[in-house]
Amino acid sequence: MRFSLIFIVLLNLPGSLLAKPVDLDEETRRIASELRCAVCQNLSLADSPSELAGEMRQVILERLKEGKTPDEIKAYFVSKYGEWILLAPTAQGLNLLIWVLPFVVLVGGVVAVGFLTKRWVRTKRKFPPAALDRPLLLQEKTRLDSDLQELDFDYQAGRLSEIDYADLRKTLETETAAVTRQLESSPGAEAGISRKDLATLTKESGAAAKKPYKRWQLASAGAFLLLFGVTLGVALTKSVRPRGSESGSITGDFLTGTDRGGLPTLLARGRTAFENQQWPEAIDAFKKALAIDPNQPEAHAYMGLILTQAGHADGALLAFDRALSADPNFPLALWGKGLALFHGKKDYSSARATWERLLTMVPVGEERDNLQKLIADAKRLENGGEKTSAPATAGLRDQGKRLEGTIMVPSSLQAKISPGDTLFIIVRRAHLAEGPPQAVKKIPSPHFPLKFSIGPEDAMMPGVPFDGKMEITARIDKDGNPATKSPGDLVGVYRKNPVEVGRSNIEIVIDREL
Amino acid sequence: MRWRRLLMTLVPILAIVGVLAYGFHRDPRYIPSPLIGHEAPPFTITLFDGRKLSLSDLRGKVVFVNFWSSWCLSCRAEAGELEASWQTLKDRSAVFLGIGIQDTEQDALAFVKEFGITYPTGRDPSSKIAIDYGVWGIPETFFIDPEGRITYKHVGALDPAIISAKLEEAGRRVVSDREGKGLYQSIR
């Protein structure tokens, strides 16, 4: 009775009283040992001496005190830092590979070893060879004969004891007798072992001994060595640099993927990003270009254009001046400096002076006409006059003057368009391959045939009149990142380029895959 | 047969070289944030002027949260630009908020004074807010839209052009598909 009472009391006690008291510090350490330190390489939170790791351990302890379970605490860190924070990734999705692959390789290895051993044993068992395999029997007989001769020689030279010699000789003689018996019973035995047979066999075995590796083995070993050497050579020469600071890496930017290519590549990347209005990418590329050559005028000029666009006239002017100090007649910098002075600083006389310098370099044509219009405007405003035409009122004046039409994709290419693709309509001033385009329109997830209309509001630079002859192209971008033209992107050029602004029946057929 | 053997040799070699190339190409310190596109973790911070500021008070505005430290070189590099951007953008319903981490109060205040920072700035003494935002590099900046959702994260020094572009995007509730990266250093 008493025992059953105690039993009932025990059953009704809260679980926490019955359970062994949890050591919170130990539990914190255990959880921390399963999480990765975010600021050091390959250390757990438990082992890391960093300040952040200490603060994270404190968070774990506090959450344990709040009654959170270890899984909940780990889930909290995963929600903040992603799966990266787990030292042992969860066995889900692609991660599953990490868990499964070692076992697959292990099983594969065991199977391969088994297979090879079996083959090796089978090869060994071939001796003495099957009764009907006459050439192999002949080969075996030759081997045994030469072994016997060698044995005699060794014995006479005193390298073998009497007992060993007798023992080995007996074994060899038994084997020779067995092979001879088989030879005699095999077809063609009547011919006996001819000298020719023996000569051929000796030649074959000699050739086999001289050629221990097959050609494919040598070729693949050579290819591997070459590949390895080239990779190592390229990687080392490109990656190692003096350590800039304590936290710097001797491998620099190359291995971390933050530097892709030299100056021309960076400039090209920057231009493309600029054209596609990808400002962060453009800034990144031009900054890297400037890190390589701090006096690169084009990079400074583009940085200036980006700053003008963002409304930072002072920064822009500084950038243009840097470009002009490197190349006093750099057209893009002169043009941009004029824009920054005109719009940002309202300094019309300086803007006019800058543009007039540029005017001396621009050949007769549309570009020159536009520039002259800008200069005329600056002059008018300089004298206190009202703005009557471009640039600031260009948008209003040109309202209605647009390029409109349809973009089509032939059915053969329709299947290559995915829902996530982005369409870019790019308008450049005719015969002006370099520099930023006049206007760009970005249309995510386009449906074809697509009616489009591109006008002054899509202009890259404020203040440049949207009129005259233009070249219009369209591109369906696969990765949605216009800074990179990648294989699979689809492009189309208007067949009747150049086209006068104001036209409304433009038909662009996207007919080429990059 | 010969081709099969050649293939059996080359395929594992190329696979190993491929894995090595991939490994060499990525930044092992970089931790992609799972927070972009999700609700910004709520917090309350005591500013250096003694006021308390909660993120929830800023609902309806675009919020720019910048984690910094006085000892971080990139933070020093961007500090002037941040203040200049704040002066330009403060009237456009955007709120800048600086959060100093892993710093003494004295050092943090000296930093604020040195760069003449006028936007709301406070200190996160035990890095609780920083951990809540998954901060690992510094400076680290989060752009939060009027609905309280993180639209963009930038690790490293910021540029005025990116600030205005990303604030404008946050205003339009556009979530960036990629994080930005500049010159950064790991926190301590």
Side-chain angles (χ1 to χ4, degrees):
Chain A
M1 181 65 192
R2 206 166 57 180
F3 279 117
S4 60
L5 258 180
I6 291 170
F7 187 67
I8 289 166
V9 168
L10 276 175
L11 269 184
N12 288 312
L13 271 174
S16 58
L17 289 181
L18 272 178
K20 210 173 117 190
V22 180
D23 181 345
L24 283 183
D25 287 335
E26 183 49 42
E27 189 68 356
T28 303
R29 223 200 73 78
R30 199 185 62 73
I31 298 170
S33 68
E34 289 174 32
L35 297 172
R36 187 139 59 130
C37 166
V39 294
C40 29
Q41 300 281 313
N42 304 323
L43 276 182
S44 73
L45 275 189
D47 300 325
S48 167
S50 74
E51 196 176 332
L52 180 72
E55 289 159 346
M56 283 180 160
R57 286 196 294 266
Q58 193 55 36
V59 170
I60 298 175
L61 183 65
E62 282 170 18
R63 289 188 172 245
L64 279 174
K65 282 181 184 163
E66 285 167 16
K68 296 272 192 302
T69 64
D71 281 342
E72 282 171 337
I73 295 170
K74 278 191 271 179
Y76 165 76
F77 282 104
V78 169
S79 74
K80 303 304 176 190
Y81 289 90
E83 289 253 324
W84 186 96
I85 201 85
L86 296 176
L87 272 175
T90 51
Q92 277 175 351
L94 262 186
N95 284 352
L96 211 58
L97 271 183
I98 305 168
W99 291 96
V100 172
L101 219 55
F103 295 102
V104 171
V105 171
L106 187 74
V107 171
V110 169
V111 169
V113 166
F115 174 74
L116 288 174
T117 317
K118 208 171 149 190
R119 205 165 66 170
W120 180 63
V121 168
R122 209 186 311 153
T123 323
K124 281 272 158 190
R125 273 193 198 144
K126 273 188 182 167
F127 296 99
L132 295 179
D133 205 349
R134 191 171 163 77
L136 279 176
L137 284 169
L138 284 173
Q139 199 178 7
E140 180 66 357
K141 173 129 180 37
T142 320
R143 184 182 72 82
L144 288 167
D145 285 346
S146 81
D147 280 2
L148 267 170
Q149 273 173 12
E150 242 174 74
L151 193 71
D152 283 343
F153 182 76
D154 283 352
Y155 175 62
Q156 276 156 22
R159 285 188 212 145
L160 280 172
S161 70
E162 183 97 30
I163 304 164
D164 282 349
Y165 171 68
D167 211 25
L168 285 168
R169 191 169 176 87
K170 198 178 167 195
T171 317
L172 282 173
E173 274 171 353
T174 320
E175 278 182 32
T176 313
V179 172
T180 316
R181 252 199 316 281
Q182 282 181 353
L183 262 176
E184 279 164 3
S185 63
S186 71
E190 55 281 6
I193 306 165
S194 69
R195 275 177 185 275
K196 201 179 161 192
D197 274 348
L198 277 172
T200 321
L201 274 171
T202 320
K203 204 173 163 189
E204 272 175 8
S205 59
K210 268 185 205 159
K211 213 171 87 180
Y213 297 108
K214 289 181 181 157
R215 219 173 273 170
W216 68 267
Q217 286 172 319
L218 286 172
S220 40
F224 173 71
L225 279 177
L226 190 73
L227 200 71
F228 185 73
V230 169
T231 314
L232 205 67
V234 170
L236 279 181
T237 49
K238 276 203 172 182
S239 60
V240 181
R241 63 165 187 188
R243 198 184 279 262
S245 66
E246 202 186 325
S247 62
S249 134
I250 59 156
T251 56
D253 293 338
F254 172 68
L255 295 183
T256 51
T258 41
D259 178 20
R260 297 190 189 93
L263 199 56
T265 322
L266 285 169
L267 289 176
R269 192 148 64 87
R271 277 195 295 267
T272 315
F274 182 88
E275 285 166 14
N276 294 317
Q277 304 187 357
Q278 295 276 308
W279 312 122
E281 283 83 355
I283 291 167
D284 184 54
F286 291 126
K287 271 193 168 172
K288 279 179 185 153
L290 289 172
I292 296 173
D293 177 4
N295 293 320
Q296 220 295 325
E298 189 179 348
H300 277 303
Y302 270 107
M303 286 298 260
L305 289 177
I306 294 166
L307 288 167
T308 312
Q309 181 88 343
H312 300 284
D314 290 323
L317 286 173
L318 197 68
F320 291 128
D321 284 340
R322 281 183 186 151
L324 292 171
S325 67
D327 178 356
N329 293 322
F330 197 73
L332 194 64
L334 286 171
W335 180 61
K337 187 178 176 183
L339 279 181
L341 285 167
F342 191 104
H343 290 289
K345 305 305 269 181
K346 313 275 180 228
D347 182 351
Y348 305 115
S349 61
S350 306
R352 181 177 58 81
T354 313
W355 280 331
E356 276 171 351
R357 242 173 85 195
L358 176 63
L359 196 67
T360 58
M361 288 177 275
V362 180
V364 179
E366 240 170 316
E367 285 285 290
R368 194 181 170 88
D369 296 344
N370 284 331
L371 193 60
Q372 274 169 336
K373 275 185 204 165
L374 288 171
I375 292 169
D377 263 338
K379 209 177 265 178
R380 232 188 323 276
L381 287 162
E382 209 179 315
N383 299 329
E386 283 299 306
K387 282 197 257 181
T388 51
S389 61
T393 50
L396 288 172
R397 191 193 53 154
D398 289 337
Q399 208 72 56
K401 255 197 138 183
R402 320 174 58 79
L403 288 166
E404 288 174 333
T406 319
I407 296 175
M408 286 166 291
V409 180
S411 52
S412 58
L413 286 179
Q414 285 276 6
K416 299 198 170 171
I417 303 170
S418 331
D421 292 353
T422 311
L423 173 74
F424 292 101
I425 305 167
I426 302 152
V427 175
R428 281 178 180 279
R429 193 153 284 287
H431 317 300
L432 198 72
E434 289 298 312
Q438 192 80 11
V440 174
K441 200 174 188 86
K442 180 177 176 180
I443 300 166
S445 309
H447 293 283
F448 297 97
L450 181 140
K451 285 207 180 306
F452 74 91
S453 173
I454 185 163
E457 74 279 5
D458 301 304
M460 297 285 289
M461 283 293 138
V464 179
F466 191 74
D467 59 5
K469 283 206 159 124
M470 303 285 185
E471 282 182 0
I472 182 163
T473 54
R475 186 171 94 233
I476 301 173
D477 203 272
K478 282 277 144 206
D479 55 8
N481 174 11
T484 53
K485 273 184 200 166
S486 37
D489 287 356
L490 306 171
V491 289
V493 178
Y494 180 45
R495 288 195 195 288
K496 294 179 189 163
N497 270 341
V499 56
E500 190 78 36
V501 171
R503 201 160 164 169
S504 59
N505 55 348
I506 297 164
E507 282 189 356
I508 302 175
V509 181
I510 293 186
D511 53 1
R512 195 160 62 85
E513 187 178 357
L514 287 181
Chain B
M1 188 66 184
R2 187 178 292 176
W3 278 111
R4 218 180 69 183
R5 285 197 162 167
L6 195 66
L7 222 62
M8 277 170 71
T9 320
L10 282 185
V11 165
I13 290 173
L14 289 179
I16 291 169
V17 170
V19 168
L20 283 177
Y22 170 74
F24 276 141
H25 202 262
R26 49 192 284 279
D27 182 352
R29 284 190 296 174
Y30 200 86
I31 311 174
S33 176
L35 292 169
I36 298 168
H38 293 96
E39 201 189 336
F43 62 84
T44 302
I45 187 169
T46 310
L47 304 175
F48 286 126
D49 60 11
R51 282 184 302 141
K52 274 193 187 295
L53 182 72
S54 291
L55 185 65
S56 52
D57 300 341
L58 305 173
R59 240 340 128 77
K61 291 178 177 171
V62 173
V63 187
F64 171 96
V65 180
N66 175 257
F67 290 91
W68 57 271
S69 270
S70 66
W71 46 264
C72 141
L73 294 177
S74 302
C75 305
R76 299 185 77 82
E78 70 167 6
E81 302 275 22
L82 293 196
E83 177 59 27
S85 295
W86 164 243
Q87 292 300 339
T88 325
L89 300 165
K90 63 181 174 184
D91 303 326
R92 292 198 217 161
S93 80
V95 180
F96 277 39
L97 178 59
I99 301 181
I101 56 169
Q102 298 193 334
D103 237 338
T104 62
E105 177 132 19
Q106 199 184 356
D107 288 347
L109 274 170
F111 181 87
V112 170
K113 201 176 162 194
E114 183 184 346
F115 291 99
I117 294 167
T118 59
Y119 54 84
T121 306
R123 209 164 66 88
D124 176 20
S126 54
S127 299
K128 287 225 166 50
I129 304 173
I131 294 170
D132 236 10
Y133 276 76
V135 172
W136 56 270
I138 200 162
E140 232 175 80
T141 309
F142 293 84
F143 291 73
I144 301 168
D145 73 9
E147 260 112 63
R149 193 171 47 147
I150 295 174
T151 55
Y152 178 68
K153 176 193 167 180
H154 192 94
V155 182
L158 271 165
D159 217 88
I162 301 179
I163 298 174
S164 63
K166 290 298 171 184
L167 282 177
E168 190 261 336
E169 280 180 20
R172 287 191 287 123
R173 294 154 178 83
V174 175
V175 178
S176 299
D177 53 354
R178 276 191 300 173
E179 295 174 23
K181 190 175 160 189
L183 206 60
Y184 69 86
Q185 63 190 90
S186 290
I187 54 176
R188 294 194 292 208

